[in-house]
Amino acid sequence: MMRVLLCLILISSTHSEELHSNRFLTASILEGIYGPSSKDIIEDNILSRPNSFGGPCSLMEKIEVQKEDQLINKSSRFYCRNGISESKISPFSTDFQSRFALTKKACDQLAENKNVSNYLYDSLSSANNIEDKISKLILKFYPDMRSSSDFANQIKTQLLDSNTLKFNFLKKYSLTKGLFYNLNSKSIVEKASHLLCVSEKWQKISKSDNDLQKYIKCHKIFTGTSPKNDNKRLIAIKEKEMSAEMACQELIETAKLGKESKIATPLKNLEGQKVLRTFQSFHNSWFPNYMAYMADDSPILYDIVELEEPAFFLTRALFNSNFSYSTIVQGSDTLKGIRESDHNSDFLITAGSDEKIKKREEYKVMLSKTDSTTWSPTHLDRGTLIGVTEVKTKDILPAHSNQLFFPVFSSTPVDIHKSIGGGILGSNSYILFNNGRPHGNLSDGKKVLMRAYSKNLIRDLLCRDLPVISPEDSIGFINTKSKLSWSQDKNCMSCHATMDTMAGLLRNAELIINDVSEQGSSHIKYHQGTKSAPKNAMLFDTIKDYHLTKASGSFVYRDIENNFINTRVDNLDQLGLQISKTRDFYACATTRYFKFLTGKNISITQINDLKDPELKEFINTEISNFKQHQDLQTLIKRIISSKWF
């Protein structure tokens, strides 16, 4: 009978079309059911398993304090346990086999823990009889399920009819049936909770069938927690005073950024904190690169340069009505997070999770192999994210070298936050973590160009992979006089025509380093481009001192509407403008938000191949509308209002 019951509980629809709770939501639900004694078990099996459960962490929520000989962890539950890469993972995982195995392991351990069992049983004490206890237990795992639902009744009936319980003969007689349940009450609760726990069904954030379920779903996605029974929006929906769409919109509004670029009453607004963090983490996953060549060479980098800066452009556009979506690729703002904590971390954020390097007020800067000076860059805030703001201060690195092994030192100052326009495109952080070149590599227009930047930009903001033009499109870019083999091959040029011309906009950029053990960092330096360059953007290998010529390039691209684009651009603001004119730019954001909210993954190049004509029409309509209204909140509202949510 128990095997039948387990099969009943595990029955589920196709995994690939549904969201499953990430590690933070899963942990929150289990801790709410099993209490404080469950935390270590949940930490080991759920929170420390990002690849199995999904859920990006935040670098800046890791706070460790040194007190005498003791290291005290003051981090929030969202800190990165396993290193920087963990901050870039998907919001939701699709590794269902690993998830199920780890969930079962956690549930087995919880079932064996007496403190956990006692807490669970005591939490059901308000229920008068065993049937009510089981009903209440089911609702802990399935808060959006009515206690009278068929599924709930099936679970309850089969649990109570189980033949594995003691004194089964008493169950046969009406006079002793109550005694049977009383004698087995705690055992029934323990068995029921274990069977409910090991099921992956409660971890699904399934498509909603009514307003109550719809709000619970958006609350889970937006905050990473289930709403409590006294949630004011939940009550309003039950009393027909508010629709789910209105409630979800109101929840988003809790993270609205005000005049000070913060959420309202930031330290008390716990919902707003959670919503802001969720969407910032989601946006951060759009930009998977996190290393400036080699992270080990830059131990202080992540404390002075905002790794999440590109994502903050998106988050600002979502929560600040003064910024339309296209502004994420315009302007020279430099952004950082506003974070608050009761504690200051004594240690730097390092590439590895186990390294411990202490923060300093001053860091050494090498002027030569033997001489040095110091600088005091501003450390980024640590703690809970409560806002997004512009970087107003200038942090100037007074000297640097071009590489690690045979360094040439320079006293040319470097502004480590400098933007060269185009919003995300020219943000210091995006170029630093996406340039793809080793230290000291000067662009020469030949083999050395920041091609990785072009490739990553197209992936990150247009949801496309190279090549984005056909070999036939590239024929016009072939240079028969070039000494570069790929310049004479149309198949090679179907990638290079896009990469190389775009990388021409970064010809003045160089990755440099302040190489000091436990005090060094990598940054982007810009050479003055004073020399003129040929108008033909493909004549790179004919230019002497290419990195000292005036930056220029082209946007070479065939969009999803089959329009071939070949437009000269002289800076990243102009490139951003051309990108923002494409349908791809809005299709990329629309499909990413659609996947985030529904679990359905749609490639922007295959929208018109969708077999569901209604879905195809919806996606195409929303892309067109989004391009017009430029409002991410409206896009979210439209997806939540759809049948696919």
Side-chain angles (χ1 to χ4, degrees):
M1 180 64 74
M2 285 305 223
R3 288 183 180 178
V4 174
L5 176 58
L6 185 58
C7 290
L8 170 69
I9 293 175
L10 295 182
I11 290 172
S12 61
S13 57
T14 307
H15 285 137
S16 60
E17 290 294 304
E18 291 186 285
L19 295 173
H20 283 66
S21 58
N22 65 29
R23 55 181 169 152
F24 302 119
L25 176 55
T26 304
S28 173
I29 293 170
L30 288 178
E31 283 180 20
I33 295 170
Y34 291 108
S37 298
S38 68
K39 284 189 175 181
D40 288 345
I41 294 171
I42 292 167
E43 174 74 33
D44 291 343
N45 294 290
I46 312 292
L47 285 172
S48 61
R49 310 290 182 153
N51 293 326
S52 300
F53 289 88
C57 60
S58 171
L59 287 182
M60 310 312 289
E61 294 197 30
K62 185 172 185 177
I63 299 174
E64 294 175 312
V65 178
Q66 185 80 47
K67 206 167 187 179
E68 297 175 353
D69 294 333
Q70 191 177 9
L71 181 68
I72 304 172
N73 189 341
K74 297 290 185 179
S75 308
S76 76
R77 88 161 48 230
F78 302 108
Y79 80 97
C80 294
R81 293 158 174 79
N82 306 302
I84 296 169
S85 61
E86 200 182 324
S87 69
K88 297 290 189 176
I89 63 172
S90 172
F92 301 102
S93 172
T94 55
D95 184 359
F96 301 111
Q97 188 173 2
S98 174
R99 163 192 284 270
F100 181 79
L102 287 166
T103 301
K104 185 179 184 304
K105 183 181 175 184
C107 295
D108 290 347
Q109 292 176 8
L110 290 168
E112 293 169 3
N113 188 299
K114 290 184 179 180
N115 291 332
V116 167
S117 295
N118 290 337
Y119 176 91
L120 175 65
Y121 191 71
D122 290 345
S123 72
L124 303 173
S125 60
S126 62
N128 296 323
N129 54 57
I130 191 61
E131 289 197 359
D132 289 344
K133 288 184 188 295
I134 296 298
S135 295
K136 192 172 180 180
L137 180 61
I138 291 169
L139 290 176
K140 284 179 177 287
F141 283 95
Y142 300 94
D144 55 344
M145 184 183 295
R146 299 180 188 280
S147 58
S148 59
S149 73
D150 290 341
F151 179 71
N153 286 329
Q154 282 180 299
I155 294 174
K156 188 164 57 178
T157 300
Q158 297 224 29
L159 280 167
L160 297 179
D161 286 347
S162 170
N163 290 321
T164 64
L165 301 173
K166 297 178 180 178
F167 309 109
N168 265 293
F169 68 93
L170 296 174
K171 186 171 57 176
K172 298 178 182 179
Y173 309 103
S174 57
L175 290 175
T176 56
K177 194 172 185 180
L179 177 60
F180 163 76
Y181 286 135
N182 286 334
L183 290 170
N184 284 280
S185 179
K186 191 169 185 181
S187 178
I188 291 172
V189 167
E190 289 172 352
K191 290 177 183 293
S193 72
H194 182 257
L195 284 168
L196 288 165
C197 182
V198 297
S199 168
E200 54 91 45
K201 196 175 181 69
W202 64 268
Q203 298 177 54
K204 287 185 177 182
I205 309 176
S206 302
K207 190 173 77 170
S208 49
D209 296 323
N210 56 59
D211 266 15
L212 192 64
Q213 289 179 350
K214 182 172 284 190
Y215 176 69
I216 291 173
K217 179 177 181 178
C218 76
H219 193 284
K220 283 181 176 180
I221 295 173
F222 293 177
T223 70
T225 59
S226 293
K228 295 180 179 179
N229 290 332
D230 61 354
N231 181 281
K232 63 179 183 179
R233 297 182 200 91
L234 206 61
I235 294 169
I237 291 170
K238 288 178 180 178
E239 295 177 356
K240 309 295 184 184
E241 295 174 354
M242 181 181 281
S243 68
E245 288 81 2
M246 288 174 61
C248 292
Q249 180 64 30
E250 189 178 279
L251 183 58
I252 291 177
E253 288 290 331
T254 62
K256 181 179 179 180
L257 299 175
K259 290 182 179 179
E260 296 182 352
S261 303
K262 299 178 183 178
I263 58 175
T265 57
L267 299 183
K268 296 180 181 179
N269 183 1
L270 299 182
E271 275 188 336
Q273 289 177 12
K274 292 173 184 175
V275 172
L276 185 64
R277 186 204 167 274
T278 293
F279 281 96
Q280 173 63 11
S281 296
F282 166 52
H283 295 148
N284 199 32
S285 70
W286 294 26
F287 308 100
N289 284 33
Y290 61 90
M291 289 210 313
Y293 189 49
M294 295 178 67
D296 289 342
D297 298 326
S298 302
I300 74 169
L301 179 63
Y302 300 101
D303 276 274
I304 60 176
V305 172
E306 181 68 80
L307 174 63
E308 297 184 16
E309 182 183 9
F312 280 126
F313 281 90
L314 286 155
T315 301
R316 183 176 68 171
L318 173 60
F319 294 115
N320 188 328
S321 58
N322 293 322
F323 295 91
S324 63
Y325 185 68
S326 61
T327 63
I328 71 169
V329 289
Q330 293 293 307
S332 55
D333 289 350
T334 298
L335 302 182
K336 67 175 183 176
I338 305 172
R339 302 177 176 93
E340 294 221 357
S341 173
D342 293 333
H343 307 277
N344 293 317
S345 184
D346 291 328
F347 297 90
L348 295 169
I349 295 167
T350 51
S353 58
D354 298 326
E355 292 180 274
K356 294 287 179 285
I357 301 176
K358 279 213 163 188
K359 277 186 179 180
R360 305 166 188 247
E361 291 185 6
E362 289 186 337
Y363 297 95
K364 186 186 289 187
V365 177
M366 299 307 298
L367 299 171
S368 68
K369 287 186 177 180
T370 55
D371 295 331
S372 65
T373 184
T374 59
W375 73 316
S376 300
T378 306
H379 288 106
L380 295 168
D381 299 336
R382 295 269 194 105
T384 301
L385 181 68
I386 59 171
V388 181
T389 190
E390 294 180 37
V391 176
K392 300 294 186 183
T393 57
K394 281 193 174 183
D395 287 308
I396 306 297
L397 177 66
H400 60 274
S401 61
N402 65 334
Q403 58 174 290
L404 294 169
F405 302 111
F406 303 101
V408 175
F409 292 89
S410 170
S411 294
T412 302
V414 174
D415 180 353
I416 69 169
H417 303 305
K418 181 179 178 179
S419 166
I420 56 172
I424 291 171
L425 312 184
S427 64
N428 190 280
S429 178
Y430 190 76
I431 296 173
L432 179 62
F433 294 109
N434 288 278
N435 69 85
R437 302 306 312 176
H439 298 104
N441 261 207
L442 298 172
S443 293
D444 62 4
K446 302 175 186 178
K447 292 184 178 180
V448 181
L449 287 168
M450 291 186 173
R451 294 184 176 94
Y453 170 89
S454 309
K455 180 182 177 182
N456 295 345
L457 188 156
I458 287 167
R459 173 199 65 195
D460 298 344
L461 292 175
L462 295 168
C463 293
R464 299 278 299 276
D465 292 316
L466 293 175
V468 289
I469 64 172
S470 68
E472 287 67 35
D473 291 331
S474 72
I475 291 173
F477 297 91
I478 289 176
N479 181 6
T480 57
K481 297 180 181 179
S482 174
K483 296 178 182 179
L484 305 173
S485 59
W486 60 80
S487 292
Q488 301 179 40
D489 185 286
K490 67 177 183 179
N491 293 305
C492 294
M493 289 307 293
S494 62
C495 287
H496 279 277
T498 300
M499 283 193 298
D500 295 7
T501 56
M502 188 182 292
L505 293 165
L506 294 183
R507 68 184 69 191
N508 307 132
E510 177 191 2
L511 182 67
I512 54 91
I513 187 167
N514 174 36
D515 181 25
V516 183
S517 177
E518 296 194 349
Q519 299 182 55
S521 54
S522 299
H523 301 285
I524 293 293
K525 170 184 178 178
Y526 295 101
H527 296 273
Q528 289 296 317
T530 55
K531 299 182 179 182
S532 297
K535 290 184 178 180
N536 186 341
M538 291 307 301
L539 295 178
F540 288 157
D541 56 340
T542 65
I543 303 173
K544 185 180 179 181
D545 294 329
Y546 176 72
H547 70 286
L548 298 178
T549 59
K550 292 179 181 178
S552 64
S554 295
F555 181 45
V556 180
Y557 192 81
R558 185 174 286 281
D559 66 18
I560 57 174
E561 295 181 299
N562 205 31
N563 298 309
F564 180 67
I565 303 165
N566 177 18
T567 304
R568 179 186 170 91
V569 287
D570 292 323
N571 54 57
L572 291 175
D573 269 323
Q574 291 181 11
L575 176 62
L577 179 61
Q578 295 304 316
I579 286 173
S580 68
K581 290 179 179 179
T582 67
R583 184 175 180 82
D584 301 37
F585 182 58
Y586 303 95
C588 183
T590 300
T591 53
R592 278 181 173 155
Y593 267 88
F594 191 76
K595 181 183 179 182
F596 177 64
L597 295 169
T598 70
K600 294 181 182 293
N601 189 19
I602 299 172
S603 167
I604 72 165
T605 59
Q606 297 176 345
I607 294 169
N608 291 324
D609 297 327
L610 289 170
K611 294 180 180 179
D612 182 344
E614 196 175 352
L615 178 58
K616 178 168 68 175
E617 182 182 0
F618 175 80
I619 295 293
N620 275 320
T621 299
E622 292 313 313
I623 293 169
S624 298
N625 290 342
F626 181 41
K627 189 175 182 181
Q628 292 297 316
H629 61 66
Q630 300 266 333
D631 184 1
L632 284 170
Q633 287 198 22
T634 299
L635 175 63
I636 292 171
K637 190 187 302 182
R638 291 286 301 146
I639 295 171
I640 288 174
S641 300
S642 75
K643 62 183 281 187
W644 294 278
F645 186 80

